[in-house]
Amino acid sequence: MSEAANASTPYELLGGETGLRQLINRFYDLMDTAPEYYGIRKLHPQDLSGSRDKLFMFLSGWLGGPGLYVEKFGHPMLRARHLPFPIGNAERDAWMACMQQALIETGVETSLREGLLKAFFGTADWMRNRPEGAE
Ligand code: HEM
C-alpha cells in the first residue's frame, strides 16, 4: 500500500491510537452507564478493562492500523467467540446505537461516522445467534 493510501485508512482518519482509544472508552462508558444498553452491558464481565483492550486491539487492525489483535490472539473467530452470548436483533441494535452515540460524542465527522456504522452493521448483524436471527 502506498503512503498516501495508508494515510487515509479509517484508523488514521479517526486519529490513530489516541482517537480509537477515545472512541472505545466512550463506547464502554456509555454501555456501563446508560440504561438503554443494560441488555448488552449485563452480557459483559463486571470489569470492562479486558473488553476495552480487546476491542481496541481488534479495531486497530480492522480499521487499517496495526494488527494488534491477530498478533496477540491469532484469528479473531469473532462469531464463534460471541456464541456464548445470546445475540438477537435487540442486542445487535443496542450495540449499534451505543457505537453511534460514542461516534457522535467523540466528534467523529459525519461521512466517516456513516461509513464506519455501515461496516459495523455488517459485523454486528453477522454476530446474531438467536433463532430470530437465523437465515
Ligand atoms: C452485536 C452485538 C454485540 C454484542 C452483544 C457483543 C458482546 C460481546 C461480549 C459479551 C463479549 C465478551 C466480552 C469480554 O470477553 O470481555 C464480546 C467480545 C468481543 N467483541 Fe463483541 N458484541 C457485539 C458485537 C461486536 C462487534 C460488531 C464487534 C466488532 C466490530 C465486536 C468485537 C468484539 C471483540 C473483538 C471481542 C473480544 C473477543 C475475544 O477475544 O474474546 N463485537 N462481545
Side-chain angles (χ1 to χ4, degrees):
M1 198 186 278
S2 75
E3 296 253 340
N6 207 28
S8 60
T9 60
Y11 178 82
E12 289 303 327
L13 293 170
L14 265 178
E17 173 169 357
T18 309
L20 183 58
R21 283 248 183 236
Q22 253 169 21
L23 174 67
I24 287 163
N25 281 333
R26 192 67 200 131
F27 174 76
Y28 281 113
D29 288 349
L30 285 166
M31 194 193 285
D32 204 24
T33 52
E36 58 268 42
Y37 307 132
Y38 179 68
I40 55 172
R41 170 62 184 95
K42 67 179 188 211
L43 302 176
H44 290 72
Q46 180 151 19
D47 178 355
L48 287 172
S49 49
S51 313
R52 287 178 203 261
D53 278 347
K54 286 186 204 150
L55 189 59
F56 167 73
M57 289 188 278
F58 175 78
L59 289 183
S60 173
W62 196 72
L63 294 168
L68 306 175
Y69 186 97
V70 174
E71 278 163 26
K72 185 154 184 191
F73 302 111
H75 192 289
M77 298 184 298
L78 266 199
R79 194 165 192 285
R81 289 193 207 263
H82 284 77
L83 284 178
F85 315 109
I87 301 179
N89 293 338
E91 290 75 19
R92 175 199 65 194
D93 293 346
W95 196 100
M96 289 299 301
C98 189
M99 183 54 78
Q100 180 172 32
Q101 193 176 342
L103 285 162
I104 291 171
E105 292 186 9
T106 52
V108 174
E109 175 269 318
T110 311
S111 68
L112 176 60
R113 184 176 82 227
E114 286 174 356
L116 290 174
L117 285 171
K118 232 179 244 172
F120 282 134
F121 184 82
T123 304
D125 196 47
W126 174 60
M127 230 61 88
R128 289 179 305 154
N129 53 32
R130 281 223 305 245
E132 60 172 23
E135 282 117 275

